[in-house]
Amino acid sequence: MYSAGTESLIKQAREIGEEELQKFYSRITKQLTGKEHGHDVIDSLQRLHLIMASTKYTRRLPVELHRRLLSLCVSSSVEQLTVLTSAVLRETLPPSGPGQIYTLNDYSPLTSHTAAVALSQVHI
């Protein structure tokens, strides 16, 4: 169904070690701290999406990374970033624990790309 190259990437994404994944999360969080979101950020978000999509709803992002992605998703004027961040968030489990539940009032300027994410993770 997939080409050999695609199969290899999916296999690598599924088999990424927890230590390596935590380092990757840290790197992305640091990239999202900056004001400029260039090609490195887009590449990292594409890789993160592949990792999340290949393990379908079995991983939680660190809270800080989740918040930064959600913030970028609702505030970015660059459609590619909005689409990528919403795609990543759609493939993850919502954050858990006290204070980690979002309401619609937290992110009122929802766009069409983020509506599905917010509604899937909102506490009503």
Side-chain angles (χ1 to χ4, degrees):
M1 184 157 129
Y2 295 111
S3 69
T6 303
E7 287 287 341
S8 175
L9 286 174
I10 292 170
K11 184 178 179 186
Q12 287 174 7
R14 284 185 181 141
E15 295 175 353
I16 189 168
E18 193 60 34
E19 185 177 322
E20 185 179 354
L21 187 58
Q22 292 303 320
K23 287 179 186 177
F24 186 56
Y25 288 158
S26 265
R27 192 176 96 213
I28 294 173
T29 303
K30 187 182 257 186
Q31 287 176 330
L32 295 177
T33 303
K35 298 218 184 261
E36 293 294 318
H37 301 111
H39 296 293
D40 290 343
V41 171
I42 290 171
D43 182 56
S44 293
L45 289 173
Q46 288 172 335
R47 289 173 188 230
L48 181 60
H49 179 253
L50 179 62
I51 292 167
M52 295 298 138
S54 70
T55 55
K56 277 288 189 202
Y57 308 115
T58 59
R59 297 186 190 265
R60 288 189 199 281
L61 294 172
V63 173
E64 183 61 24
L65 177 56
H66 191 277
R67 285 186 180 153
R68 288 188 189 278
L69 288 171
L70 191 55
S71 176
L72 182 62
C73 191
V74 298
S75 67
S76 179
S77 60
V78 179
E79 187 174 16
Q80 187 174 13
L81 288 174
T82 304
V83 170
L84 278 170
T85 55
S86 65
V88 168
L89 291 169
R90 222 179 358 253
E91 299 295 335
T92 64
L93 293 170
S96 65
Q100 304 309 318
I101 298 173
Y102 300 107
T103 65
L104 286 176
N105 295 334
D106 293 337
Y107 297 97
S108 57
L110 295 175
T111 65
S112 61
H113 297 295
T114 59
V117 173
L119 291 175
S120 72
Q121 298 183 354
V122 71
H123 182 279
I124 299 176

